[in-house]
mmCIF file of all heavy atoms in Angstrom:
data_model
loop_
_atom_site.group_PDB
_atom_site.id
_atom_site.type_symbol
_atom_site.label_atom_id
_atom_site.label_comp_id
_atom_site.label_asym_id
_atom_site.label_seq_id
_atom_site.Cartn_x
_atom_site.Cartn_y
_atom_site.Cartn_z
ATOM 1 N N GLY A 189 4.116 5.626 -5.265
ATOM 2 C CA GLY A 189 3.738 5.602 -6.690
ATOM 3 C C GLY A 189 3.226 4.202 -7.102
ATOM 4 O O GLY A 189 2.273 4.086 -7.866
ATOM 5 N N ARG A 190 3.862 3.197 -6.558
ATOM 6 C CA ARG A 190 3.396 1.848 -6.833
ATOM 7 C C ARG A 190 2.075 1.583 -6.157
ATOM 8 O O ARG A 190 1.196 0.950 -6.807
ATOM 9 C CB ARG A 190 4.508 0.830 -6.274
ATOM 10 C CG ARG A 190 4.131 -0.576 -6.588
ATOM 11 C CD ARG A 190 4.230 -0.860 -8.114
ATOM 12 N NE ARG A 190 3.876 -2.292 -8.325
ATOM 13 C CZ ARG A 190 2.914 -2.678 -9.066
ATOM 14 N NH1 ARG A 190 2.167 -1.881 -9.793
ATOM 15 N NH2 ARG A 190 2.671 -3.993 -9.260
ATOM 16 N N LEU A 191 1.846 2.162 -4.993
ATOM 17 C CA LEU A 191 0.565 2.009 -4.346
ATOM 18 C C LEU A 191 -0.478 2.684 -5.221
ATOM 19 O O LEU A 191 -1.577 2.152 -5.425
ATOM 20 C CB LEU A 191 0.614 2.717 -2.960
ATOM 21 C CG LEU A 191 -0.668 2.650 -2.130
ATOM 22 C CD1 LEU A 191 -0.321 2.660 -0.666
ATOM 23 C CD2 LEU A 191 -1.601 3.826 -2.388
ATOM 24 N N TRP A 192 -0.201 3.844 -5.795
ATOM 25 C CA TRP A 192 -1.072 4.586 -6.710
ATOM 26 C C TRP A 192 -1.422 3.658 -7.877
ATOM 27 O O TRP A 192 -2.611 3.534 -8.306
ATOM 28 C CB TRP A 192 -0.442 5.862 -7.172
ATOM 29 C CG TRP A 192 -1.285 6.574 -8.196
ATOM 30 C CD1 TRP A 192 -1.114 6.521 -9.587
ATOM 31 C CD2 TRP A 192 -2.376 7.396 -8.029
ATOM 32 N NE1 TRP A 192 -2.026 7.272 -10.179
ATOM 33 C CE2 TRP A 192 -2.862 7.814 -9.214
ATOM 34 C CE3 TRP A 192 -3.057 7.898 -6.790
ATOM 35 C CZ2 TRP A 192 -3.956 8.717 -9.383
ATOM 36 C CZ3 TRP A 192 -4.118 8.717 -7.010
ATOM 37 C CH2 TRP A 192 -4.531 9.143 -8.289
ATOM 38 N N GLU A 193 -0.399 3.021 -8.477
ATOM 39 C CA GLU A 193 -0.599 2.164 -9.661
ATOM 40 C C GLU A 193 -1.528 0.993 -9.291
ATOM 41 O O GLU A 193 -2.474 0.666 -10.101
ATOM 42 C CB GLU A 193 0.718 1.628 -10.146
ATOM 43 C CG GLU A 193 1.548 2.666 -10.793
ATOM 44 C CD GLU A 193 2.961 2.192 -11.130
ATOM 45 O OE1 GLU A 193 3.297 0.975 -10.799
ATOM 46 O OE2 GLU A 193 3.736 2.930 -11.721
ATOM 47 N N LEU A 194 -1.329 0.395 -8.142
ATOM 48 C CA LEU A 194 -2.190 -0.721 -7.694
ATOM 49 C C LEU A 194 -3.625 -0.276 -7.490
ATOM 50 O O LEU A 194 -4.546 -0.928 -7.838
ATOM 51 C CB LEU A 194 -1.613 -1.369 -6.474
ATOM 52 C CG LEU A 194 -0.254 -2.126 -6.672
ATOM 53 C CD1 LEU A 194 0.301 -2.504 -5.296
ATOM 54 C CD2 LEU A 194 -0.420 -3.332 -7.533
ATOM 55 N N THR A 195 -3.775 0.912 -6.863
ATOM 56 C CA THR A 195 -5.147 1.466 -6.715
ATOM 57 C C THR A 195 -5.794 1.757 -8.074
ATOM 58 O O THR A 195 -6.989 1.375 -8.264
ATOM 59 C CB THR A 195 -5.014 2.777 -5.905
ATOM 60 O OG1 THR A 195 -4.445 2.523 -4.643
ATOM 61 C CG2 THR A 195 -6.423 3.407 -5.693
ATOM 62 N N GLN A 196 -5.052 2.282 -8.989
ATOM 63 C CA GLN A 196 -5.545 2.558 -10.360
ATOM 64 C C GLN A 196 -5.976 1.272 -11.051
ATOM 65 O O GLN A 196 -6.935 1.248 -11.794
ATOM 66 C CB GLN A 196 -4.519 3.277 -11.216
ATOM 67 C CG GLN A 196 -4.245 4.652 -10.855
ATOM 68 C CD GLN A 196 -5.351 5.603 -11.315
ATOM 69 O OE1 GLN A 196 -6.440 5.599 -10.770
ATOM 70 N NE2 GLN A 196 -5.075 6.302 -12.369
ATOM 71 N N ALA A 197 -5.239 0.171 -10.760
ATOM 72 C CA ALA A 197 -5.531 -1.130 -11.383
ATOM 73 C C ALA A 197 -6.735 -1.814 -10.734
ATOM 74 O O ALA A 197 -7.063 -2.957 -11.134
ATOM 75 C CB ALA A 197 -4.274 -1.997 -11.345
ATOM 76 N N GLY A 198 -7.289 -1.237 -9.670
ATOM 77 C CA GLY A 198 -8.413 -1.811 -9.000
ATOM 78 C C GLY A 198 -8.101 -2.803 -7.938
ATOM 79 O O GLY A 198 -9.000 -3.552 -7.555
ATOM 80 N N VAL A 199 -6.826 -2.903 -7.535
ATOM 81 C CA VAL A 199 -6.454 -3.845 -6.468
ATOM 82 C C VAL A 199 -7.122 -3.409 -5.149
ATOM 83 O O VAL A 199 -6.991 -2.185 -4.804
ATOM 84 C CB VAL A 199 -4.938 -3.926 -6.353
ATOM 85 C CG1 VAL A 199 -4.553 -4.814 -5.177
ATOM 86 C CG2 VAL A 199 -4.301 -4.446 -7.623
ATOM 87 N N ALA A 200 -7.779 -4.285 -4.491
ATOM 88 C CA ALA A 200 -8.393 -3.979 -3.209
ATOM 89 C C ALA A 200 -7.371 -3.540 -2.193
ATOM 90 O O ALA A 200 -6.270 -4.075 -2.093
ATOM 91 C CB ALA A 200 -9.167 -5.171 -2.668
ATOM 92 N N PRO A 201 -7.686 -2.447 -1.423
ATOM 93 C CA PRO A 201 -6.700 -1.973 -0.468
ATOM 94 C C PRO A 201 -6.128 -2.980 0.509
ATOM 95 O O PRO A 201 -4.968 -2.969 0.818
ATOM 96 C CB PRO A 201 -7.519 -0.886 0.304
ATOM 97 C CG PRO A 201 -8.432 -0.403 -0.679
ATOM 98 C CD PRO A 201 -8.874 -1.636 -1.425
ATOM 99 N N GLU A 202 -6.957 -3.989 0.893
ATOM 100 C CA GLU A 202 -6.436 -4.984 1.856
ATOM 101 C C GLU A 202 -5.394 -5.918 1.230
ATOM 102 O O GLU A 202 -4.627 -6.539 1.930
ATOM 103 C CB GLU A 202 -7.582 -5.827 2.462
ATOM 104 C CG GLU A 202 -8.236 -6.732 1.494
ATOM 105 C CD GLU A 202 -9.516 -6.138 0.842
ATOM 106 O OE1 GLU A 202 -9.700 -4.904 0.848
ATOM 107 O OE2 GLU A 202 -10.263 -6.946 0.272
ATOM 108 N N LEU A 203 -5.286 -5.931 -0.118
ATOM 109 C CA LEU A 203 -4.322 -6.723 -0.809
ATOM 110 C C LEU A 203 -3.042 -5.990 -1.191
ATOM 111 O O LEU A 203 -2.054 -6.635 -1.471
ATOM 112 C CB LEU A 203 -4.970 -7.290 -2.113
ATOM 113 C CG LEU A 203 -6.211 -8.188 -1.931
ATOM 114 C CD1 LEU A 203 -6.716 -8.605 -3.278
ATOM 115 C CD2 LEU A 203 -5.867 -9.387 -1.058
ATOM 116 N N ILE A 204 -3.067 -4.720 -1.044
ATOM 117 C CA ILE A 204 -1.939 -3.876 -1.459
ATOM 118 C C ILE A 204 -0.679 -4.175 -0.588
ATOM 119 O O ILE A 204 0.426 -4.361 -1.132
ATOM 120 C CB ILE A 204 -2.234 -2.396 -1.493
ATOM 121 C CG1 ILE A 204 -3.228 -2.117 -2.650
ATOM 122 C CG2 ILE A 204 -1.036 -1.517 -1.609
ATOM 123 C CD1 ILE A 204 -3.803 -0.712 -2.726
ATOM 124 N N PRO A 205 -0.797 -4.272 0.734
ATOM 125 C CA PRO A 205 0.429 -4.559 1.520
ATOM 126 C C PRO A 205 1.122 -5.846 1.108
ATOM 127 O O PRO A 205 2.351 -5.864 0.977
ATOM 128 C CB PRO A 205 -0.100 -4.616 2.961
ATOM 129 C CG PRO A 205 -1.309 -3.750 2.992
ATOM 130 C CD PRO A 205 -1.924 -3.995 1.640
ATOM 131 N N SER A 206 0.384 -6.862 0.876
ATOM 132 C CA SER A 206 1.056 -8.139 0.480
ATOM 133 C C SER A 206 1.675 -8.041 -0.879
ATOM 134 O O SER A 206 2.743 -8.586 -1.139
ATOM 135 C CB SER A 206 0.053 -9.317 0.530
ATOM 136 O OG SER A 206 -1.008 -9.148 -0.373
ATOM 137 N N ARG A 207 1.027 -7.287 -1.822
ATOM 138 C CA ARG A 207 1.631 -7.044 -3.107
ATOM 139 C C ARG A 207 2.891 -6.309 -3.036
ATOM 140 O O ARG A 207 3.908 -6.647 -3.694
ATOM 141 C CB ARG A 207 0.663 -6.296 -3.984
ATOM 142 C CG ARG A 207 -0.497 -7.091 -4.581
ATOM 143 C CD ARG A 207 -0.048 -7.882 -5.826
ATOM 144 N NE ARG A 207 -1.093 -8.417 -6.544
ATOM 145 C CZ ARG A 207 -1.808 -7.783 -7.523
ATOM 146 N NH1 ARG A 207 -1.630 -6.485 -7.722
ATOM 147 N NH2 ARG A 207 -2.734 -8.373 -8.119
ATOM 148 N N LEU A 208 2.900 -5.235 -2.211
ATOM 149 C CA LEU A 208 4.109 -4.468 -2.043
ATOM 150 C C LEU A 208 5.224 -5.203 -1.322
ATOM 151 O O LEU A 208 6.393 -5.056 -1.637
ATOM 152 C CB LEU A 208 3.781 -3.137 -1.262
ATOM 153 C CG LEU A 208 2.949 -2.122 -2.100
ATOM 154 C CD1 LEU A 208 2.622 -0.921 -1.147
ATOM 155 C CD2 LEU A 208 3.646 -1.630 -3.330
ATOM 156 N N GLN A 209 4.817 -6.046 -0.345
ATOM 157 C CA GLN A 209 5.844 -6.796 0.353
ATOM 158 C C GLN A 209 6.620 -7.709 -0.572
ATOM 159 O O GLN A 209 7.761 -7.942 -0.404
ATOM 160 C CB GLN A 209 5.211 -7.569 1.502
ATOM 161 C CG GLN A 209 6.305 -8.150 2.411
ATOM 162 C CD GLN A 209 5.718 -8.817 3.591
ATOM 163 O OE1 GLN A 209 4.563 -9.299 3.581
ATOM 164 N NE2 GLN A 209 6.441 -8.870 4.695
ATOM 165 N N GLY A 210 5.912 -8.216 -1.607
ATOM 166 C CA GLY A 210 6.539 -9.052 -2.612
ATOM 167 C C GLY A 210 7.573 -8.306 -3.458
ATOM 168 O O GLY A 210 8.425 -8.884 -4.053
ATOM 169 N N GLU A 211 7.428 -6.990 -3.477
ATOM 170 C CA GLU A 211 8.262 -6.179 -4.315
ATOM 171 C C GLU A 211 9.384 -5.406 -3.527
ATOM 172 O O GLU A 211 10.404 -5.064 -4.066
ATOM 173 C CB GLU A 211 7.440 -5.098 -5.055
ATOM 174 C CG GLU A 211 6.432 -5.748 -6.000
ATOM 175 C CD GLU A 211 5.471 -4.738 -6.594
ATOM 176 O OE1 GLU A 211 5.912 -3.565 -6.851
ATOM 177 O OE2 GLU A 211 4.334 -5.120 -6.973
ATOM 178 N N TYR A 212 9.081 -5.156 -2.253
ATOM 179 C CA TYR A 212 10.025 -4.363 -1.409
ATOM 180 C C TYR A 212 10.326 -5.130 -0.134
ATOM 181 O O TYR A 212 9.422 -5.821 0.387
ATOM 182 C CB TYR A 212 9.418 -2.976 -1.037
ATOM 183 C CG TYR A 212 9.086 -2.146 -2.257
ATOM 184 C CD1 TYR A 212 7.778 -2.132 -2.767
ATOM 185 C CD2 TYR A 212 10.038 -1.378 -2.904
ATOM 186 C CE1 TYR A 212 7.470 -1.403 -3.886
ATOM 187 C CE2 TYR A 212 9.769 -0.642 -3.985
ATOM 188 C CZ TYR A 212 8.439 -0.632 -4.510
ATOM 189 O OH TYR A 212 8.170 0.128 -5.595
ATOM 190 N N GLN A 213 11.502 -4.997 0.379
ATOM 191 C CA GLN A 213 11.930 -5.685 1.640
ATOM 192 C C GLN A 213 11.591 -4.819 2.810
ATOM 193 O O GLN A 213 12.389 -4.096 3.357
ATOM 194 C CB GLN A 213 13.401 -5.989 1.549
ATOM 195 C CG GLN A 213 13.801 -6.834 0.421
ATOM 196 C CD GLN A 213 13.115 -8.207 0.408
ATOM 197 O OE1 GLN A 213 12.955 -8.836 1.418
ATOM 198 N NE2 GLN A 213 12.658 -8.592 -0.812
ATOM 199 N N VAL A 214 10.310 -4.891 3.242
ATOM 200 C CA VAL A 214 9.814 -4.097 4.400
ATOM 201 C C VAL A 214 9.039 -5.005 5.295
ATOM 202 O O VAL A 214 8.308 -5.871 4.817
ATOM 203 C CB VAL A 214 8.921 -2.912 3.902
ATOM 204 C CG1 VAL A 214 8.432 -2.058 5.006
ATOM 205 C CG2 VAL A 214 9.701 -2.046 2.866
ATOM 206 N N ASP A 215 9.100 -4.729 6.587
ATOM 207 C CA ASP A 215 8.318 -5.464 7.579
ATOM 208 C C ASP A 215 6.813 -5.332 7.240
ATOM 209 O O ASP A 215 6.319 -4.244 6.956
ATOM 210 C CB ASP A 215 8.619 -4.891 8.968
ATOM 211 C CG ASP A 215 7.775 -5.549 10.043
ATOM 212 O OD1 ASP A 215 7.967 -6.709 10.324
ATOM 213 O OD2 ASP A 215 6.902 -4.810 10.596
ATOM 214 N N GLU A 216 6.078 -6.422 7.309
ATOM 215 C CA GLU A 216 4.664 -6.440 6.954
ATOM 216 C C GLU A 216 3.815 -5.482 7.736
ATOM 217 O O GLU A 216 2.982 -4.758 7.184
ATOM 218 C CB GLU A 216 4.073 -7.862 7.046
ATOM 219 C CG GLU A 216 2.701 -7.960 6.544
ATOM 220 C CD GLU A 216 2.111 -9.334 6.613
ATOM 221 O OE1 GLU A 216 2.874 -10.302 6.935
ATOM 222 O OE2 GLU A 216 0.886 -9.480 6.317
ATOM 223 N N SER A 217 3.988 -5.422 9.069
ATOM 224 C CA SER A 217 3.194 -4.496 9.907
ATOM 225 C C SER A 217 3.533 -3.069 9.623
ATOM 226 O O SER A 217 2.642 -2.208 9.537
ATOM 227 C CB SER A 217 3.331 -4.845 11.395
ATOM 228 O OG SER A 217 4.687 -4.673 11.819
ATOM 229 N N GLU A 218 4.808 -2.780 9.412
ATOM 230 C CA GLU A 218 5.201 -1.399 9.009
ATOM 231 C C GLU A 218 4.631 -1.036 7.657
ATOM 232 O O GLU A 218 4.114 0.092 7.476
ATOM 233 C CB GLU A 218 6.718 -1.294 8.971
ATOM 234 C CG GLU A 218 7.249 0.066 8.615
ATOM 235 C CD GLU A 218 8.730 0.149 8.486
ATOM 236 O OE1 GLU A 218 9.440 -0.679 9.165
ATOM 237 O OE2 GLU A 218 9.233 1.050 7.786
ATOM 238 N N LEU A 219 4.696 -1.943 6.730
ATOM 239 C CA LEU A 219 4.153 -1.698 5.399
ATOM 240 C C LEU A 219 2.625 -1.430 5.447
ATOM 241 O O LEU A 219 2.146 -0.509 4.818
ATOM 242 C CB LEU A 219 4.447 -2.910 4.434
ATOM 243 C CG LEU A 219 4.116 -2.732 3.036
ATOM 244 C CD1 LEU A 219 4.767 -1.470 2.445
ATOM 245 C CD2 LEU A 219 4.521 -3.984 2.240
ATOM 246 N N ARG A 220 1.923 -2.200 6.234
ATOM 247 C CA ARG A 220 0.455 -2.012 6.383
ATOM 248 C C ARG A 220 0.151 -0.618 6.947
ATOM 249 O O ARG A 220 -0.768 0.069 6.395
ATOM 250 C CB ARG A 220 -0.090 -3.056 7.309
ATOM 251 C CG ARG A 220 -1.591 -3.038 7.405
ATOM 252 C CD ARG A 220 -2.151 -4.214 8.186
ATOM 253 N NE ARG A 220 -3.591 -4.221 8.151
ATOM 254 C CZ ARG A 220 -4.352 -4.645 7.194
ATOM 255 N NH1 ARG A 220 -3.833 -5.112 6.083
ATOM 256 N NH2 ARG A 220 -5.656 -4.569 7.298
ATOM 257 N N ARG A 221 0.931 -0.176 7.955
ATOM 258 C CA ARG A 221 0.715 1.173 8.524
ATOM 259 C C ARG A 221 1.009 2.226 7.479
ATOM 260 O O ARG A 221 0.273 3.203 7.363
ATOM 261 C CB ARG A 221 1.617 1.385 9.729
ATOM 262 C CG ARG A 221 1.112 0.728 10.981
ATOM 263 C CD ARG A 221 1.912 1.178 12.203
ATOM 264 N NE ARG A 221 3.365 1.005 12.075
ATOM 265 C CZ ARG A 221 4.062 -0.098 12.348
ATOM 266 N NH1 ARG A 221 3.404 -1.150 12.759
ATOM 267 N NH2 ARG A 221 5.347 -0.168 12.208
ATOM 268 N N GLU A 222 2.047 2.049 6.713
ATOM 269 C CA GLU A 222 2.399 2.991 5.676
ATOM 270 C C GLU A 222 1.315 3.100 4.585
ATOM 271 O O GLU A 222 0.979 4.170 4.119
ATOM 272 C CB GLU A 222 3.734 2.710 4.987
ATOM 273 C CG GLU A 222 4.901 2.955 5.948
ATOM 274 C CD GLU A 222 5.050 4.398 6.287
ATOM 275 O OE1 GLU A 222 4.836 5.270 5.432
ATOM 276 O OE2 GLU A 222 5.359 4.679 7.500
ATOM 277 N N VAL A 223 0.758 1.936 4.176
ATOM 278 C CA VAL A 223 -0.339 1.989 3.196
ATOM 279 C C VAL A 223 -1.514 2.650 3.714
ATOM 280 O O VAL A 223 -2.122 3.475 3.017
ATOM 281 C CB VAL A 223 -0.672 0.472 2.761
ATOM 282 C CG1 VAL A 223 -1.932 0.433 1.972
ATOM 283 C CG2 VAL A 223 0.460 -0.103 1.979
ATOM 284 N N GLU A 224 -1.906 2.394 4.976
ATOM 285 C CA GLU A 224 -3.028 3.053 5.581
ATOM 286 C C GLU A 224 -2.826 4.570 5.641
ATOM 287 O O GLU A 224 -3.733 5.348 5.313
ATOM 288 C CB GLU A 224 -3.248 2.517 6.994
ATOM 289 C CG GLU A 224 -3.793 1.099 7.063
ATOM 290 C CD GLU A 224 -3.790 0.484 8.452
ATOM 291 O OE1 GLU A 224 -3.196 1.085 9.394
ATOM 292 O OE2 GLU A 224 -4.411 -0.546 8.634
ATOM 293 N N THR A 225 -1.637 4.975 6.116
ATOM 294 C CA THR A 225 -1.311 6.411 6.191
ATOM 295 C C THR A 225 -1.329 7.062 4.814
ATOM 296 O O THR A 225 -1.924 8.162 4.648
ATOM 297 C CB THR A 225 0.000 6.584 6.870
ATOM 298 O OG1 THR A 225 -0.019 6.032 8.179
ATOM 299 C CG2 THR A 225 0.381 8.104 6.972
ATOM 300 N N THR A 226 -0.703 6.450 3.834
ATOM 301 C CA THR A 226 -0.654 6.989 2.523
ATOM 302 C C THR A 226 -2.053 7.141 1.858
ATOM 303 O O THR A 226 -2.374 8.191 1.280
ATOM 304 C CB THR A 226 0.302 6.218 1.603
ATOM 305 O OG1 THR A 226 1.595 6.218 2.186
ATOM 306 C CG2 THR A 226 0.439 6.837 0.254
ATOM 307 N N LEU A 227 -2.832 6.091 1.993
ATOM 308 C CA LEU A 227 -4.189 6.142 1.438
ATOM 309 C C LEU A 227 -5.039 7.262 2.106
ATOM 310 O O LEU A 227 -5.764 7.980 1.440
ATOM 311 C CB LEU A 227 -4.868 4.858 1.550
ATOM 312 C CG LEU A 227 -4.481 3.769 0.559
ATOM 313 C CD1 LEU A 227 -5.145 2.425 0.862
ATOM 314 C CD2 LEU A 227 -4.842 4.188 -0.863
ATOM 315 N N GLU A 228 -4.836 7.392 3.405
ATOM 316 C CA GLU A 228 -5.566 8.452 4.155
ATOM 317 C C GLU A 228 -5.163 9.831 3.660
ATOM 318 O O GLU A 228 -5.982 10.712 3.415
ATOM 319 C CB GLU A 228 -5.363 8.338 5.670
ATOM 320 C CG GLU A 228 -6.276 9.238 6.459
ATOM 321 C CD GLU A 228 -7.781 8.943 6.200
ATOM 322 O OE1 GLU A 228 -8.184 7.828 6.183
ATOM 323 O OE2 GLU A 228 -8.506 10.002 6.042
ATOM 324 N N GLN A 229 -3.851 10.024 3.395
ATOM 325 C CA GLN A 229 -3.380 11.307 2.885
ATOM 326 C C GLN A 229 -3.920 11.570 1.430
ATOM 327 O O GLN A 229 -4.292 12.701 1.115
ATOM 328 C CB GLN A 229 -1.894 11.348 2.902
ATOM 329 C CG GLN A 229 -1.297 11.437 4.294
ATOM 330 C CD GLN A 229 0.227 11.268 4.285
ATOM 331 O OE1 GLN A 229 0.851 10.825 3.319
ATOM 332 N NE2 GLN A 229 0.821 11.675 5.397
ATOM 333 N N LEU A 230 -3.963 10.513 0.638
ATOM 334 C CA LEU A 230 -4.491 10.660 -0.742
ATOM 335 C C LEU A 230 -5.989 11.019 -0.635
ATOM 336 O O LEU A 230 -6.454 11.829 -1.435
ATOM 337 C CB LEU A 230 -4.310 9.369 -1.492
ATOM 338 C CG LEU A 230 -2.841 9.015 -1.855
ATOM 339 C CD1 LEU A 230 -2.774 7.627 -2.497
ATOM 340 C CD2 LEU A 230 -2.239 10.068 -2.801
ATOM 341 N N ILE A 231 -6.732 10.454 0.249
ATOM 342 C CA ILE A 231 -8.114 10.781 0.464
ATOM 343 C C ILE A 231 -8.286 12.219 0.946
ATOM 344 O O ILE A 231 -9.105 12.971 0.405
ATOM 345 C CB ILE A 231 -8.828 9.795 1.443
ATOM 346 C CG1 ILE A 231 -8.924 8.409 0.800
ATOM 347 C CG2 ILE A 231 -10.171 10.284 1.921
ATOM 348 C CD1 ILE A 231 -9.287 7.308 1.779
ATOM 349 N N GLN A 232 -7.513 12.625 1.903
ATOM 350 C CA GLN A 232 -7.575 13.997 2.431
ATOM 351 C C GLN A 232 -7.322 15.062 1.385
ATOM 352 O O GLN A 232 -7.910 16.141 1.419
ATOM 353 C CB GLN A 232 -6.645 14.198 3.618
ATOM 354 C CG GLN A 232 -7.066 13.465 4.855
ATOM 355 C CD GLN A 232 -6.043 13.523 5.975
ATOM 356 O OE1 GLN A 232 -4.969 14.143 5.844
ATOM 357 N NE2 GLN A 232 -6.330 12.899 7.088
#
C-alpha cells in the first residue's frame, strides 16, 4: 500500500526501494526484489 502511495505521488520506481527502506527494516536487496515483483503484479 505504501508502494502504491509512492507511485501515486509520482515517485520514480528506482527511488521507491530507498524510500521504503527508510520506513521499514528490510534488507535492501530483498526490498528491491519485492518492489520489482509487486510492480510487475500491479502491471499484469
Side-chain angles (χ1 to χ4, degrees):
R190 184 66 179 123
L191 182 151
W192 174 264
E193 290 171 356
L194 293 171
T195 300
Q196 289 282 76
V199 175
E202 69 267 16
L203 300 177
I204 291 175
S206 62
R207 284 279 192 83
L208 290 175
Q209 190 175 27
E211 299 175 27
Y212 301 97
Q213 301 301 318
V214 180
D215 176 69
E216 184 177 356
S217 61
E218 179 182 336
L219 187 57
R220 184 173 185 81
R221 281 190 308 275
E222 289 296 321
V223 167
E224 290 171 347
T225 300
T226 302
L227 282 174
E228 190 58 45
Q229 290 172 343
L230 292 172
I231 289 168
Q232 288 174 2

